[in-house]
């Protein structure tokens, strides 16, 4: 039988409906907008995307993969920079790979002429970053199960490695160290030294730059690469979308993904999909001259988010209007701020870090970390695009002279737009917008230690945040991105429709007013910082300043347990601040907890600026040596929260000293005990 036209139309309609049904809308966006990048797909469920890295490299013709394990975006940024440099200087066909996106069983089949790079941050207590947990467990596992069982399995693999760590932590750069060791044990060949960047010393960027040059030399020699004149090649194509305006419904104005754009955001809410949470309550718990501290209650009912006492909440910030304007102005984009553009990766392995079509304004406001410190390498990259001969020379000098760069840029805490302004007031219109997308981090959510107990308020998360404002001679104070945004939200909640803390203004009602009524985008990150499951166990907490945040939650929880008739163990909190009358956090609340807990609870305070001598929490700890030691002998849990750079380290040292004195053992032995307490989770830190 022959089909007539009607049959064909009917069949075609059935076919299309079937495709639509099975793809459940995944591809519909593409037919509607040929330029839109499938952001949700790139960041979440990836239809048909391979997890086979070897296959991916083959099909996209790559010979160098840069894997990253990143928590806050820096490792990811370094990975992209290595990939770009490998391509522009040595003609390597590079790609960047999120460790979470691939399987590792076939790494033993990586061909000999290819190279693997690892950029690995160490997080918290020597842990891998969230996206590197599986890889770490696989590669350091007892019986690494590769697909081909060659012997040694990774004999073909050549790799380079750089780690991002912080020397104030016990397990400095343990991620890169352990992975390097594991790879070598499996037969892989390391090229050049494994680099280590130190955030604790504030030298991360310089450590990276100092590591990569000899690494490239070693790699070029080993692989027979020839260096060529590096020319800038954009990774992304920017297309102006004449037919669209910022009011077109398909244009993203800062919405984090498609569900948010279409107004049907739903869970699971996580690092790719924030919950737009109502702020139930906000206040300042202290306000003095240039310092203030916020307390906020974030309502998570209706989100199916949950938390446990000791977890972290991530706040997704928005850049201040003043800095957005500064950036758009100096780059010559001010008049085009609302023009609609699409951004498309020119390389199939590159990801556009935000959804499009969108506007310049939305990208700069919601997605680019425009206020962060500037990298020297980025300045060098931008040099050819400087507006005048003079500024070209200056940029090249800044890019190549570390000390000069520090004097002119880092020491003054300039962000990228401020740096460009300082170098030349002319508009920097020649810089391709792609260079900013590549060279600036994407805006990172900031974490806060939840300061409430999930037992007491399951649906409301408290945070306690000091508003960042740093006085810098010769310029305006440096204002923290997130905390000033939160301050503006607090002002709005208290009746100010145009809040402008310190002269900063925000798009406070969010894209298309979706955050109106005082909302903030959040997600929850579960942590290992936890109360003992048995409430009768004694606990000792050390939390000066905002380090007290999780301990407010701990004490709140124990007070509730005591009220409910449970047997609650000794609960000691060491708290420190400058002055009792100035920045004593929750000073009124502690009495309520004391009423519930009675003698079980002691709050021991150290006010550093009240006496002739500065007194800190570690001094108070020393004064209470006897009880501290006795409780530890009863297996008390010991917690430290707050400043990683000094306090946490000193508390660690003082604790060892206390044990040595009280138990009459050598200090070295006491230090060993502290270490074993840490491995047994009896000593827990939540520091930043
Ligand atoms: P940012 O804009 O991120 O600035 C932060 C700092 O970066 C500045 O102070 C400055 O030193 C540096 N910086 C920024 N821009 C520049 C520049 N252009 N040049 C040079 N340096 C620059 N904080 C709390 O208040 N309470 C908590 O309970 C809490 N818990 C935390 C828990 C965890 C696990 C972590 C990781 C952090 C926690 N923090 C907490 C810190 C918090 O996440 C933020 O870092 C802090 O609030 C500052 O954020 P911000 O966006 O306001 O400042």
């Amino acid at each position: 039988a022959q089909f007539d036209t009607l049959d064909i139309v009917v069949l075609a309609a059935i076919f299309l409906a079937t495709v639509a049904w099975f793809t459940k809308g995944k591809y519909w966006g593409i037919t509607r907008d040929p330029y839109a990048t499938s952001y949700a797909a790139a960041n979440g469920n990836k239809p048909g995307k391979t997890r086979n890295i070897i296959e991916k490299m083959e099909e996209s013709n790559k010979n160098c993969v840069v894997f990253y394990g990143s928590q806050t975006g820096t490792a990811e940024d370094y990975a992209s920079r290595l990939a770009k440099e490998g391509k522009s200087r040595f003609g390597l066909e590079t790609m960047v790979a999120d460790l979470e996106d691939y399987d590792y069983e076939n790494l033993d089949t990586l061909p000999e002429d290819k190279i693997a790079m690892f950029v690995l941050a160490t997080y918290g207590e020597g842990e891998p970053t969230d996206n590197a947990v599986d890889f770490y467990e696989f590669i350091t596992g007892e019986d690494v199960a590769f697909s081909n069982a060659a012997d040694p399995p990774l004999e073909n693999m050549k790799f380079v490695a750089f780690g991002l760590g912080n020397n104030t932590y016990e397990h400095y750069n343990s991620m890169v160290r352990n992975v390097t060791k594991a790879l070598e044990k499996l037969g892989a060949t390391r090229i050049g030294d494994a680099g280590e960047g130190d955030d604790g010393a504030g030298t991360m960027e310089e450590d990276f730059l100092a590591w990569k040059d000899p690494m490239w030399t070693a790699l070029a020699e080993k692989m027979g690469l020839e260096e060529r004149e590096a020319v800038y090649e954009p990774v992304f194509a920017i297309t102006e979308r004449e037919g669209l305006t910022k009011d077109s419904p398909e244009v993203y104005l800062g919405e984090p993904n498609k569900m948010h754009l279409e107004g049907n955001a739903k869970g699971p809410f996580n690092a790719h999909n924030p919950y737009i949470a109502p702020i139930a309550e906000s206040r300042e718990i202290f306000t003095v001259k240039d310092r203030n501290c916020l307390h906020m209650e974030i309502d998570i009912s209706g989100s199916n988010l949950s938390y446990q006492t000791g977890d972290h909440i991530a706040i997704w910030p928005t850049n201040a209007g003043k800095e957005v304007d500064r950036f758009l102005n100096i780059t010559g984009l001010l008049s085009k701020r609302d023009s609609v553009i699409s951004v498309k990766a020119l390389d199939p392995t590159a990801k556009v870090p935000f959804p499009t079509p969108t506007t310049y304004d939305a990208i700069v406001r919601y997605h680019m970390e425009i206020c962060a410190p500037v990298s020297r390498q980025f300045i060098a990259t931008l040099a050819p695009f400087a507006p005048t001969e003079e500024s070209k020379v200056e940029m090249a000098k800044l890019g190549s002279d570390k000390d000069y760069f520090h004097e002119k840029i880092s020491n003054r805490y300039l962000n990228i737009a401020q740096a460009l302004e300082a170098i030349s007031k002319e508009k920097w219109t020649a810089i391709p917008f792609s260079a900013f997308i590549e060279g600036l981090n994407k805006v990172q959510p900031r974490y806060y230690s939840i300061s409430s107990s999930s037992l007491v308020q399951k649906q409301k998360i408290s945070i306690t945040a000091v508003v960042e404002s740093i006085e810098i001679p010769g310029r305006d104070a440096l204002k923290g991105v997130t905390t000033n945004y939160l301050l503006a939200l607090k002002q709005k909640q208290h009746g100010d429709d145009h809040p402008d803390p310190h002269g900063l203004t925000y798009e406070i009602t969010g894209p298309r007013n979706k955050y109106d009524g005082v909302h903030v985008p959040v997600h929850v990150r579960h942590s290992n910082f936890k109360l003992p499951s048995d409430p009768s166990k004694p606990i000792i907490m050390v939390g000066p300043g905002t380090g007290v945040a999780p301990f407010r939650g701990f004490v709140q929880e124990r007070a509730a347990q005591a009220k409910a008739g449970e047997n609650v163990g000794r609960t000691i909190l060491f708290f420190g601040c400058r002055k009792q009358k100035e920045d004593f956090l929750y000073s009124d609340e502690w009495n309520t907890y004391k009423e519930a807990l009675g003698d079980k609870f002691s709050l021991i305070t150290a006010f550093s600026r009240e006496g002739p001598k500065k007194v800190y929490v570690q001094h108070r700890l020393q004064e209470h040596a006897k009880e501290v030691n006795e409780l530890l002998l009863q297996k008390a849990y010991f917690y430290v929260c707050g400043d990683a750079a000094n306090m946490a380290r000193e508390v660690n040292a003082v604790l060892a000293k206390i044990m040595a004195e009280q138990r009459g053992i050598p200090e070295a032995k006491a230090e060993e005990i502290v270490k074993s307490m840490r491995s047994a989770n009896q000593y827990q830190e939540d520091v930043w």
Side-chain angles (χ1 to χ4, degrees), residues 30-320:
I30 296 174
T31 32
R32 243 200 343 246
D33 180 359
Y35 290 101
T37 42
S38 171
Y39 185 72
N43 280 277
N45 47 350
K46 297 155 189 151
K49 203 186 145 193
T50 178
R51 290 190 55 84
N52 180 335
I53 186 65
I54 312 295
E55 196 178 288
K56 179 86 191 178
M57 290 177 79
E58 295 282 310
E59 84 193 15
S60 51
N61 217 0
K62 304 293 180 191
N63 57 11
C64 172
V65 54
V66 192
F67 289 109
Y68 64 84
S70 188
Q71 194 73 30
T72 61
T74 315
E76 184 179 351
D77 173 46
Y78 287 5
S80 313
R81 282 158 63 179
L82 282 179
K84 268 201 79 87
E85 197 172 337
K87 180 151 174 67
S88 62
R89 277 178 66 187
F90 299 99
L92 280 167
E93 293 304 330
T94 54
M95 68 173 282
V96 173
D98 185 337
L99 276 170
E100 173 173 80
D101 287 349
Y102 294 94
D103 298 325
Y104 326 109
E105 289 78 12
N106 64 351
L107 277 180
D108 57 340
T109 60
L110 187 77
E112 225 170 344
D113 59 348
K114 303 209 189 308
I115 173 100
M117 302 194 171
F118 294 89
V119 184
L120 302 169
T122 299
Y123 195 61
E125 300 273 313
E127 289 147 36
T129 55
D130 293 350
N131 75 325
V133 171
D134 290 346
F135 168 71
Y136 184 71
E137 284 174 3
F138 175 82
I139 210 79
T140 59
E142 284 291 307
D143 300 299
V144 196
F146 285 106
S147 47
N148 277 348
D151 193 27
L154 297 185
E155 67 178 342
N156 280 343
M157 181 192 271
K158 294 188 199 61
F159 75 99
V160 307
F162 183 80
L164 296 84
N166 184 318
N167 76 14
T168 58
Y169 287 77
E170 162 99 14
H171 301 277
Y172 175 55
N173 259 314
S174 61
M175 185 63 188
V176 73
R177 289 181 187 180
N178 294 344
V179 168
T180 302
K181 223 187 287 168
L183 290 171
E184 286 179 330
K185 200 172 136 208
L186 292 163
T189 310
R190 177 171 43 79
I191 297 178
D193 289 331
E196 293 185 354
D198 185 3
D199 204 28
T203 53
M204 185 68 81
E205 172 78 10
E206 289 306 335
D207 294 338
F208 175 66
L209 299 184
W211 163 76
K212 73 179 180 54
D213 281 328
M215 180 279 290
W216 285 125
T217 313
L219 186 69
E221 199 182 288
K222 186 89 183 174
M223 311 270 299
L225 304 173
E226 269 188 44
E227 185 160 0
R228 54 186 197 183
E229 174 98 44
V231 278
Y232 174 77
E233 283 175 52
V235 173
F236 303 103
I238 316 288
T239 321
E240 305 236 350
R241 305 292 305 278
E242 304 283 320
L244 296 173
T245 74
K246 79 186 216 315
D247 299 318
S248 311
E250 64 266 61
V251 174
Y252 288 86
L253 297 182
E255 290 91 347
N257 59 39
K258 192 159 188 150
M259 290 188 293
H260 283 271
L261 179 72
E262 293 175 348
N264 53 14
K266 57 176 191 306
F269 296 107
N270 53 36
H272 303 301
N273 183 32
Y275 173 57
I276 311 300
I279 297 177
E281 206 188 303
S282 54
R283 60 192 151 93
E284 284 177 48
I285 35 181
F286 74 74
T287 312
V288 291
K289 291 182 305 274
D290 296 331
R291 281 202 320 147
N292 39 355
C293 183
L294 293 168
H295 175 91
M296 289 187 150
E297 300 279 337
I298 295 165
D299 187 350
I300 54 164
S301 57
S303 68
N304 68 41
L305 278 172
S306 66
Y307 80 102
Q308 282 181 346
T309 312
D311 283 344
H312 300 136
I313 184 168
I315 307 275
W316 294 46
T318 299
N319 283 312

Side-chain angles (χ1 to χ4, degrees), residues 72 123 169 293-294 311-313 317 369-374 409-416 418 444-451 462-470 472 475 478-486 525 527 545-550 641-642 686-688:
T72 61
Y123 195 61
Y169 287 77
C293 183
L294 293 168
D311 283 344
H312 300 136
I313 184 168
E369 198 80 86
I370 54 167
C371 293
V374 182
I409 310 286
S410 315
N411 288 354
R412 299 175 59 208
Y413 289 74
L414 301 183
N415 64 35
I416 183 66
Q418 291 166 338
Q444 294 295 317
R446 309 306 202 258
Y447 290 110
Y448 294 88
S449 302
I450 294 178
S451 59
S462 305
I463 65 167
T464 311
V466 161
V467 179
E468 287 273 330
S469 175
I470 305 173
I472 296 156
R475 51 158 286 192
L478 173 86
K479 300 292 181 189
V481 173
T482 315
T483 48
N484 286 282
Y485 169 56
L486 289 175
R525 179 173 192 271
S527 85
T546 45
V548 81
C641 179
D686 182 23
V687 293
W688 58 84

Side-chain angles (χ1 to χ4, degrees), residues 563-579:
K563 270 194 175 161
E566 283 189 62
N567 176 19
V568 174
R570 187 90 171 100
T571 302
I572 308 186
L573 169 60
F574 290 88
F575 171 76
C577 64
R578 291 183 188 170
K579 292 183 178 168

